[in-house]
Amino acid sequence: MLVHEDEPFNAEPTPKVLGRSTLTPINAFYSRNHGPIPTIDHDKWRLVVDGLVDTPLELSLADLKSQFEIHEVVATLQCAGNRRAGFLAVADIPGEDPWQGGAIGTAVWAGARLVDVLAAAGLADDSADLHVDFSAPDVSELATPPQAYGSSIPLSKAMQTEVLLAWRMNGRDLPRVHGAPVRVVAPAYIGARSVKWIDRISVQTTPSDNYFQATAYRILAPSADPDQAGPGDGISLGPWALNSEILTPTDDGSVPAGAVAVTGYAVAPEHRRVVRVEVSADEGATWHDALLDEQPSPWTWVHWRTNLDLDPGNRTLVARAWDDTGTQQPQEAASLWNPKGYGNTAWPTKTIHVDQERGT
């Protein structure tokens, strides 16, 4: 793991590790935290469900496991700051971790469907323009004053069957670092909405007013001062956009001349799918189609791969993806740069050195 911070703990896997399998091993799954990882007694943990519901609930972990049908969803989670390092060539982003392309991972999540829990609480009006607010006990010094983490998703998303309250990950009990005893899994939304260590769910008329939704995780204008940004400034992030990354060869790596394997991943927005990935070794003058691996579910990334015949010298590899609406990734990171470094969906590039000796 490439550790960006020890406290709070923020780390991502290396590109080679991330590309080894479609499912990301637990010990290679990225970790994004805003404060110290809480220690929670699973026997004493309770989940409160309240707000605009007819029958507020207080559920133990045993209640959650016994009263609701267990479902599995194979889903990719992705941090809003994934690929932030690609913005640094445009301008510095002080105070933010320089995530490369590894703030993303795919796992088999198991738990109760959020919609089932809301139904048990007697959701008053599932057709209204409401929001489902999540609260957790981890306190962050990043907020002023410090506060526990919170976030929300629209009720329209919360009612979808892919949204889970998960207590298992890749067939094992959810690890503490990934949100045990229970976390939200909201596929195709930025990872900040998949709240870890959740202890309260409230149905309400407005989005969360927590710092991490009202002020953070918002795309500010390039000229804005993030230290002066207040609640409601900028564009609130929720569903993610079309994106891709080159995993191998790695940046500044050396490969023998000849057939060079190029691999990576791509993700599409909610209710869309990746249908094409192209790779160039001459900065976009010519392009080669990549082979797309099988997608495990509608809520995951797609791994892709191709072979390029490369002569000796320095090369810049470039990739770009399309989804099934014909949308393509934007070309330049400069057109997307923002002072918090969110949402870098520009064409990924890797500079490599091709050695004289040809591979076999």
Side-chain angles (χ1 to χ4, degrees), residues 186-215:
Y189 272 52
I190 61 168
R193 305 294 174 246
S194 290
V195 176
K196 296 187 283 189
W197 312 293
I198 185 170
D199 58 14
R200 182 179 292 271
I201 299 171
S202 296
V203 181
Q204 56 194 42
T205 58
T206 59
S208 172
D209 62 0
N210 187 277
Y211 169 84
F212 291 99
Q213 179 135 351
T215 302

Side-chain angles (χ1 to χ4, degrees), residues 78-353:
Q78 177 181 211
C79 179
N82 191 34
R83 302 186 60 223
R84 180 182 284 133
F87 278 146
L88 300 183
V90 179
D92 194 20
I93 304 175
E96 299 292 341
D97 292 332
W99 296 100
Q100 298 181 12
I104 186 171
T106 299
V108 180
W109 309 95
R113 288 174 172 167
L114 177 57
V115 64
D116 294 342
V117 175
L118 293 175
L123 180 62
D125 186 353
D126 62 8
S127 64
D129 184 18
L130 300 175
H131 301 265
V132 179
D133 181 79
F134 306 125
S135 300
D138 53 318
V139 175
S140 175
E141 300 286 337
L142 298 175
T144 304
Q147 64 178 267
Y149 190 85
S151 184
S152 67
I153 59 176
L155 179 61
S156 57
K157 175 65 175 180
M159 299 298 288
Q160 301 304 306
T161 56
E162 72 273 7
V163 182
L164 296 184
L165 300 175
W167 56 80
R168 291 184 67 79
M169 179 182 184
N170 286 351
R172 294 170 49 190
D173 288 343
L174 188 67
R176 174 171 166 246
V177 71
H178 292 302
V182 177
R183 72 170 297 162
V184 178
V185 174
Y189 272 52
I190 61 168
R193 305 294 174 246
S194 290
V195 176
K196 296 187 283 189
W197 312 293
I198 185 170
D199 58 14
R200 182 179 292 271
I201 299 171
S202 296
V203 181
Q204 56 194 42
T205 58
T206 59
S208 172
D209 62 0
N210 187 277
Y211 169 84
F212 291 99
Q213 179 135 351
T215 302
Y217 291 106
R218 305 180 77 91
I219 292 186
L220 302 173
S223 59
D225 180 354
D227 293 331
Q228 301 300 316
D233 291 346
I235 302 168
S236 181
L237 291 166
W240 67 38
L242 179 67
N243 207 351
S244 72
E245 178 62 293
I246 298 170
L247 294 176
T248 60
T250 56
D251 207 28
D252 296 325
S254 294
V255 297
V260 175
V262 184
T263 69
Y265 66 76
V267 294
E270 188 173 26
H271 306 308
R272 300 184 189 179
R273 60 188 180 91
V274 175
V275 294
R276 184 194 304 170
V277 174
E278 292 181 336
V279 182
S280 173
D282 51 18
E283 301 184 42
T286 59
W287 294 91
H288 304 265
D289 284 337
L291 177 66
L292 304 183
D293 289 353
E294 183 178 355
Q295 187 177 8
S297 87
W299 311 109
T300 69
W301 59 14
V302 173
H303 277 197
W304 54 262
R305 62 198 67 250
T306 191
N307 289 312
L308 303 179
D309 189 17
L310 301 182
D311 293 326
N314 291 327
R315 301 282 181 172
T316 298
L317 304 178
V318 185
R320 61 186 183 184
W322 278 261
D323 68 26
D324 57 358
T325 68
T327 299
Q328 182 200 135
Q329 288 179 259
Q331 181 174 353
E332 300 292 340
S335 67
L336 301 168
W337 188 93
N338 59 91
K340 298 291 284 183
Y342 296 134
N344 181 12
T345 59
W347 294 359
T349 63
K350 293 289 184 288
T351 300
I352 63 171
H353 180 74

